Amino acid sequence: MLPVTGAGLVLLLPHVLAPYWLFIANLALIYAVAAVGLNIILGFSGQFSLAHAAFYALGAYTTALLTIKLGAPFWLSLPAGAVTATVIGALVAIPALRLGGLFLAMATFAFNQTVEWILLQWVGLTSGPDGLPVPRPALGAFVFASDVSLYYLALVVASALILAASRITRSRIGRTLIAVRDSSVAARSLGVDVERYRIVAFVLSAFYAGVAGGLYANVVLFLFPAMSGLLQVTLFLLMVIIGGLGSVAGAVWGAVVLTGVSEVIRSFKALQEVVYGVLLVLFIVFMPHGIGPGLRTAVGRLRERVRSRGLEPWGLPVTAGKPRPEDPADGQR
Amino acid sequence: MTFFLQLVVSGLINGCLYALLAVGIAMIFKATQIVNFAQGELFMLGAYVHFLGMLTALRLPFLPALALSLAAAAVTAALAERLVCRPLLGAPIVSVVIATIGVSFILKGGVRLVWGSVPLPFRPLFETRTVMLGGLVVSTQGLVIICTGLGLLGLLYVFFQFTKLGKMMRATSENRTAAVLMGINVKRMFSLAWALSAVLAAVGGILIGPLVQLEPEMGIILIAAFAALIIGGGFGNLAGAAVGGMLLGVVENLVSGYISTALQSLTPFVLIVVVLAIRPTGLFGRGEVYRSHLVS
Amino acid sequence: MKNRASAIGAACLVVLALLVGPAAAQERTGVSDDTILIGGFAAMSGPLSVYANHQGAMMAYEEINDKGGIHGRKVKYLFEDTGGEPAKAVAAVKKLVHTDGVFLIHGGGAAVESRGVRPFVVEAKIPWVVLQAVGTDLARPFSPYVFQPNLTQHTAGEVAADFSMELAKNKRIAIVRPNDEWGREVHEATARRLKEKHGVEAVTVEYLEHTATDATAQVLKVKAANPDVILVFQLIKAASLFWRTAYDHGIRLPMIGQTGAMVRAELMRDGVGGCAPLDYIYTVTNTVHTVEHPYWAEWNEKFKKKFPLFAQQPGQPASTWMNQIGSARIVIEGLQRAGKDLTREKFIAALESFREFNNGVNNSPSTFSSTNHFGTAGAQVVSYKGCKMQNQGKFYPSSRPSH
């Protein structure tokens, strides 16, 4: 009953929201796809890859250019953009296998910057630093002219991908990824092809980034080389961290919360950088494992207190001990 | 030949700045296993406090302004360590990284709020603009940068090799538990590492101040420092960081001199990719490629 | 547990939806009996916020309000931050248009964010007068709703080209530019003008990024190309770095800069390290009076009173907010001409009736027509000899960009 109500409400959302907030909701859906994808490689497979922004930009530019130069309809250009990102993701994944930890982070960051540089320089194709305006997506004669139709488009794609992600992460692949993350040696000794699973994670996350990029092109209708830059990947990282590493639902909530918060603090104007920074620091200091575990710990603590009050009507101090924060290595469970 | 040498010398000047930042990041990483993304903002803060202390609000002479700036940077860093990073001991490294990014937003936004975004130039500290060194033109400030940079790095080496405090810091980074057992106040070592590396960053900011204009965004130099670290051999390799910084400065200039100036901004990234393709642990790295605790 | 969590989530969304207001956006004009709502946007935070002062426009609207407003209506200027990101800029514009219901938009700091919002402004059929961005592309292709009154990179490039040919005896021009849309546009305009009008091609083009800390390679390569004049299309920071390094390497050639955020001479002096290098520097300007001219004294006082915190910042007053006053006066004049029964169509028609309108701030009078919405066609040149900012006086006409 309740999930049905929830789904109904999400479906009705565009008819309740003001146009401005509807646009924000569209952005949140796009970012949710990107964040879920980043969480696959970062949270589930434990590879600190920052190449997500590059795949996002590649997906976006491919989708847009196919539409602009070849007149491809979006049902073709969006998957084509995602496939491009995926293929390039596979190509990057193979040399990346040799690297671990911060070396991987830096190498993939360098990859981001290189993609940004190419997008800047290849003026003939990408229109370079000017940025690339994108026409509105169309399905046959039907043009997605309003944010409401775009919302449903993004909603369908995003929910399919989010559901798929939660399926994958609960499947054998997901469990193996976690095993490889927690101890590649142990996984290898059990006969797991560690390299293959690392590549799978890379490719999957690149696919998600590519789809998110393609959606962005169709919703914001303007692309720019800095999409493959430091700020963009920082934003995705924030979403994953705020939502909690290794949790599909967490990444979605991280994207929704962060997109919402950055709009809410808009009115702080020049102050907002400081406010944003303070919120971020406070959040991570108090919920280092993300919203879900953080709230659960807080609720648990509260319950403990209430329960202990109930048991000790005289208000005697109860030494229940600190509830332990949940181990993030467990993923969702 | 003059062309080549000229490029090398000016590359070394830039390289000194990269090295100062990179060594600072390496120090923090060695002590606390944290990659400080706010190091570029400490560099920026140092420059702002120094020059505005000198020129606007307080009209301090050079040395007191220097002291003020170094103190401000050190205190800021120590506070960041105490308030943000220490509560996160044992949290996933990615979370800590994000927390330091939060600190960098606060510092950048704060400076922008107080001093605005307009780039601020500062009068050179020396009357003579340039000196001739065997046919090469070197700006006086550049010479000061090379001398101060190399001098500081040398001092740091002496500090870590020969002083008791330096040895205590090294012991802490080698084995935290053993250090505690030996009676070392590990927490104080953490604060010290942060403060010291903030001083290095602030010196870098003060040195570059008269050459480029101050901007809240000047912390972007951090990217070059990261490149220097990777090239040099990892985040915990101090000597590698210093050499990597110098190398990056020189290669950047040679690329833009001999190939194209359009490639200057891409050089650090190409260098990272090339170095990692040849040696996945950096030029002077000693293994430890995988760090499993990174994410979990 | 899971279901309950998602239900709570959905409930939160609904509450949020109810809080943020009804969707039924009725047609709003932004004009009431006593107010006109004008919306603005620019980066007030983030890396691009250096161009983001809305103070100039704010003061110009305040001035007209103090005089009793426009046809009895006071201007209310709502300003949104974009952080310099296209997506946030689009959100800002949607907020201004749909939530606040503004009559017109007078905003746009950096080009990248402004390009991103263009399709949405055009779709919403709201008049947009560009506040500060200098891109020609903002008004391309032609839209009846978009007006670009500022000194565009197109015009600045042509003026720099014409002026450089007065100084270049051997017609050898070198160009230094950053690798972004700002640099590309001015470079292309200059190259075109040099070729078509003067039959000259640049002897070398070098790239210098805004964040550079060293310009030795660029200076040495420019020097090796042996030019007569160097066009330094850079914002003040990288420009100063280049000027200083060039002087140190013995280059004593005229160097022509871009309008951008050129600042007061004492800051220029500190930026290049003394007065001597300034003798060789010129910049293209679109204001009649330089920042230091007594004309601005009264505005400076107003600025200090209205934005005391901001005025204390070093480098203020910057020339950026002075340009905004000119741009706001164009909006005000348009509103005046549109008459008492204000509609968006009348406002657009009023702007299109501008023929050589002098706003008192800019040296190129504004002209719009129903087929061309680029207001500026020409500029002047400022020299800095002896550490004194001096408008050279001569006006260099440029072609008007086509849509």
Side-chain angles (χ1 to χ4, degrees):
Chain A
M1 184 61 206
L2 279 171
V4 177
T5 332
L9 289 172
V10 170
L11 281 175
L12 282 176
L13 208 58
H15 304 286
V16 194
L17 285 182
Y20 155 62
W21 283 103
L22 184 58
F23 178 75
I24 304 301
N26 285 347
L27 280 184
L29 283 172
I30 294 168
Y31 290 149
V33 174
V36 167
L38 183 59
N39 215 353
I40 291 176
I41 188 147
L42 198 66
F44 286 98
S45 121
Q47 302 182 77
F48 198 169
S49 163
L50 300 178
H52 216 58
F55 300 140
Y56 177 71
L58 286 169
Y61 270 87
T62 312
T63 304
L65 288 172
L66 283 176
T67 314
I68 296 167
K69 306 264 170 184
L70 302 178
F74 93 90
W75 59 262
L76 195 65
S77 62
L78 184 70
V83 167
T84 309
T86 315
V87 170
I88 295 175
L91 293 179
V92 175
I94 295 162
L97 282 177
R98 298 175 64 196
L99 303 170
L102 291 164
F103 284 93
L104 176 63
M106 288 303 133
T108 45
F109 175 62
F111 176 69
N112 276 348
Q113 298 295 318
T114 312
V115 169
E116 180 179 356
W117 192 84
I118 293 170
L119 293 176
L120 275 172
Q121 296 292 335
W122 200 347
V123 177
L125 186 70
T126 65
S127 82
D130 287 355
L132 187 65
V134 186
R136 283 208 176 266
L139 200 60
F142 177 71
V143 180
F144 287 82
S146 70
D147 279 356
V148 177
S149 54
L150 285 171
Y151 174 84
Y152 288 118
L153 171 67
L155 185 68
V156 168
V157 177
S159 27
L161 285 178
I162 291 165
L163 282 178
S166 69
R167 269 282 164 81
I168 293 170
T169 51
R170 279 159 214 238
S171 72
R172 217 174 62 87
I173 300 179
R175 288 197 300 273
T176 317
L177 279 178
I178 292 172
V180 170
R181 174 193 71 191
D182 291 345
S183 169
S184 59
V185 180
R188 208 187 293 274
S189 69
L190 288 170
V192 173
D193 186 348
V194 170
E195 278 70 32
R196 209 181 91 200
Y197 277 92
R198 287 223 163 97
I199 293 179
V200 164
F202 227 102
V203 166
L204 264 178
S205 93
F207 175 78
Y208 274 77
V211 174
L215 284 176
Y216 182 93
N218 282 323
V219 166
V220 180
L221 307 180
F222 182 76
L223 308 180
F224 52 106
M227 286 175 76
S228 175
L230 177 64
L231 277 177
Q232 190 72 54
V233 74
T234 310
L235 185 71
F236 293 151
L237 268 177
L238 294 179
M239 289 168 181
V240 170
I241 299 299
I242 283 180
L245 281 166
S247 152
V248 172
V252 175
W253 281 113
V256 171
V257 167
L258 207 67
T259 315
V261 164
S262 65
E263 283 307 314
V264 171
I265 62 170
R266 183 190 276 288
S267 51
F268 286 97
K269 301 212 160 123
L271 237 158
Q272 68 179 308
E273 259 172 299
V274 178
V275 174
Y276 194 68
V278 170
L279 284 178
L280 209 64
V281 166
L282 285 179
F283 187 92
I284 288 174
V285 167
F286 288 105
M287 295 185 185
H289 300 296
I291 286 187
L295 284 183
R296 255 175 273 159
T297 312
V299 169
R301 232 175 250 183
L302 205 69
R303 257 196 211 150
E304 196 105 340
R305 198 165 289 170
V306 171
R307 199 179 302 153
S308 62
R309 284 259 167 83
L311 286 172
E312 301 286 343
W314 317 117
L316 289 172
V318 181
T319 45
K322 265 190 187 167
R324 284 172 47 193
E326 297 202 8
D327 190 353
D330 287 347
Q332 296 175 288
R333 281 163 294 275
Chain B
M1 196 58 194
T2 331
F3 182 66
F4 174 78
L5 288 177
Q6 194 78 62
L7 290 176
V8 170
V9 169
S10 64
L12 281 176
I13 296 172
N14 244 349
C16 264
L17 297 171
Y18 299 159
L20 282 176
L21 256 94
V23 168
I25 297 169
M27 268 167 65
I28 292 181
F29 185 79
K30 246 187 120 100
T32 62
Q33 303 286 305
I34 288 170
V35 182
N36 181 21
F37 273 67
Q39 193 77 1
E41 275 59 47
L42 293 170
F43 169 87
M44 180 264 305
L45 187 74
Y48 265 94
V49 172
H50 176 81
F51 288 101
L52 294 173
M54 252 175 96
L55 287 177
T56 54
L58 306 169
R59 302 211 172 272
L60 295 171
F62 181 82
L63 283 176
L66 180 74
L68 180 72
S69 150
L70 299 187
V75 169
T76 311
L79 276 179
E81 192 275 329
R82 180 69 196 83
L83 297 177
V84 178
C85 295
R86 203 177 297 170
L88 289 174
L89 274 180
I93 283 210
V94 196
S95 301
V96 188
V97 164
I98 295 292
T100 63
I101 292 181
V103 172
S104 83
F105 283 162
I106 298 174
L107 292 178
K108 214 188 300 183
V111 164
R112 220 194 295 280
L113 215 56
V114 181
W115 291 305
S117 283
V118 177
L120 301 177
F122 287 95
R123 220 175 289 201
L125 300 170
F126 307 97
E127 283 297 311
T128 1
R129 301 171 61 94
T130 53
V131 281
M132 292 295 283
L133 289 178
L136 300 181
V137 183
V138 184
S139 70
T140 323
Q141 184 69 24
L143 214 57
V144 172
I145 290 180
I146 291 194
C147 294
T148 320
L150 293 180
L152 269 179
L153 294 175
L155 271 180
L156 213 59
Y157 178 78
V158 171
F159 171 74
F160 279 118
Q161 290 300 326
F162 302 112
T163 66
K164 192 178 171 205
L165 198 57
K167 285 179 185 165
M168 278 157 74
M169 285 180 72
R170 268 169 59 211
T172 310
S173 62
E174 291 288 327
N175 188 331
R176 218 176 270 172
T177 324
V180 174
L181 292 176
M182 298 308 290
I184 296 175
N185 185 342
V186 170
K187 287 176 181 166
R188 189 171 297 161
M189 294 301 123
F190 289 173
S191 306
L192 194 64
W194 275 78
L196 254 182
S197 77
V199 166
L200 288 186
V203 168
I206 293 165
L207 285 174
I208 191 78
L211 288 185
V212 303
Q213 311 194 351
L214 306 193
E215 248 188 324
E217 290 301 316
M218 67 195 282
I220 197 77
I221 195 171
L222 180 77
I223 292 178
F226 279 163
L229 282 162
I230 291 294
I231 295 162
F235 281 72
N237 188 337
L238 268 70
V243 178
M246 302 284 183
L247 200 65
L248 176 61
V250 172
V251 173
E252 262 185 356
N253 261 7
L254 291 180
V255 166
S256 47
Y258 285 101
I259 305 175
S260 161
T261 43
L263 283 167
Q264 191 172 31
S265 57
L266 189 66
T267 309
F269 311 113
V270 174
L271 216 53
I272 288 180
V273 172
V274 169
V275 166
L276 289 183
I278 300 167
R279 268 185 67 99
T281 51
L283 288 185
F284 314 103
R286 283 183 293 265
E288 265 197 286
V289 181
Y290 287 102
R291 288 199 112 87
S292 54
H293 67 282
L294 189 78
V295 175
S296 52
Chain C
M1 189 61 205
K2 196 107 246 160
N3 288 347
R4 198 187 302 172
S6 55
I8 292 172
C12 288
L13 283 181
V14 172
V15 171
L16 186 76
L18 293 177
L19 280 179
V20 294
Q26 68 271 51
E27 207 47 51
R28 273 183 291 180
T29 57
V31 181
S32 69
D33 290 343
D34 53 354
T35 39
I36 303 170
L37 284 181
I38 298 181
F41 67 91
M44 306 170 87
S45 62
L48 293 175
S49 61
V50 61
Y51 320 107
N53 327 336
H54 59 304
Q55 290 85 349
M58 205 80 145
M59 289 196 298
Y61 289 128
E62 202 146 275
E63 184 190 39
I64 193 75
N65 283 347
D66 290 344
K67 286 182 186 161
I70 304 164
H71 298 299
R73 296 190 184 98
K74 299 266 164 96
V75 171
K76 198 170 166 207
Y77 192 41
L78 307 170
F79 209 84
E80 288 293 334
D81 175 41
T82 66
E85 284 172 51
K88 271 198 104 174
V90 171
V93 165
K94 295 220 167 196
K95 181 162 187 253
L96 290 169
V97 170
H98 297 294
T99 308
D100 301 321
V102 296
F103 174 73
L104 69 94
I105 288 178
H106 184 212
V112 69
E113 61 191 17
S114 303
R115 286 205 181 89
V117 308
R118 191 192 128 97
F120 295 91
V121 177
V122 172
E123 243 174 39
K125 303 192 170 165
I126 305 277
W128 174 25
V129 180
V130 179
L131 173 63
Q132 206 163 280
V134 291
T136 29
D137 284 13
L138 298 179
R140 278 179 184 153
F142 179 81
S143 155
Y145 303 100
V146 184
F147 291 83
Q148 171 54 292
N150 301 323
L151 173 65
T152 54
Q153 293 293 77
H154 169 95
T155 295
E158 289 194 350
V159 170
D162 288 357
F163 178 63
S164 69
M165 292 319 288
E166 285 183 4
L167 302 177
K169 287 189 193 73
N170 303 321
K171 302 193 167 190
R172 294 179 67 84
I173 310 286
I175 294 176
V176 184
R177 57 164 272 208
N179 196 3
D180 62 3
E181 88 280 354
W182 186 88
R184 189 190 60 75
E185 206 168 85
V186 69
H187 171 199
E188 276 179 7
T190 312
R192 201 180 325 110
R193 185 70 153 199
L194 283 176
K195 194 160 182 207
E196 286 172 6
K197 191 170 171 194
H198 308 284
V200 170
E201 270 190 49
V203 290
T204 183
V205 178
E206 299 299 335
Y207 294 84
L208 182 65
E209 298 308 318
H210 298 302
T211 50
T213 49
D214 183 69
T216 311
Q218 286 82 354
V219 164
L220 293 178
K221 288 177 102 171
V222 164
K223 196 177 176 186
N226 191 24
D228 301 309
V229 174
I230 308 170
L231 301 181
V232 186
F233 296 132
Q234 296 284 351
L235 296 180
I236 185 72
K237 188 180 169 193
S240 305
L241 180 65
F242 184 87
W243 288 330
R244 163 205 295 274
T245 315
Y247 189 82
D248 286 352
H249 283 271
I251 295 181
R252 302 285 184 272
L253 297 170
M255 293 191 274
I256 304 166
Q258 235 279 45
T259 161
M262 293 307 147
V263 288
R264 285 173 298 164
E266 75 244 34
L267 288 182
M268 294 273 288
R269 177 199 63 205
D270 290 349
V272 296
C275 280
L278 285 187
D279 289 354
Y280 302 92
I281 293 172
Y282 303 87
T283 60
V284 176
T285 183
N286 64 337
T287 54
V288 181
H289 305 294
T290 64
V291 188
E292 288 157 354
H293 195 274
Y295 174 84
W296 292 109
E298 177 200 347
W299 284 98
N300 280 336
E301 285 312 308
K302 271 193 203 169
F303 182 73
K304 277 183 199 151
K305 222 181 270 164
K306 186 150 171 55
F307 308 102
L309 263 176
F310 209 85
Q312 271 175 17
Q313 290 176 353
Q316 291 296 342
S319 61
T320 38
W321 61 255
M322 305 182 173
N323 277 320
Q324 292 178 4
I325 295 175
S327 155
R329 282 185 181 163
I330 289 170
V331 174
I332 291 168
E333 175 72 13
L335 290 168
Q336 301 269 27
R337 290 193 192 181
K340 177 90 179 131
D341 299 321
L342 194 54
T343 62
R344 292 189 176 119
E345 292 68 34
K346 280 189 187 163
F347 174 70
I348 289 170
L351 281 184
E352 284 173 350
S353 75
F354 277 33
R355 298 288 175 274
E356 304 276 312
F357 166 67
N358 189 344
N359 63 23
V361 174
N362 299 118
N363 47 32
S364 168
S366 305
T367 300
F368 297 111
S369 70
S370 56
T371 51
N372 195 308
H373 283 184
F374 289 105
T376 299
Q380 288 171 309
V381 174
V382 167
S383 72
Y384 298 83
K385 285 207 173 63
C387 267
K388 280 250 157 44
M389 239 177 156
Q390 195 76 54
N391 192 328
Q392 300 290 82
K394 183 174 169 186
F395 182 77
Y396 295 83
S398 77
S399 69
R400 201 173 290 277
S402 57
H403 286 283

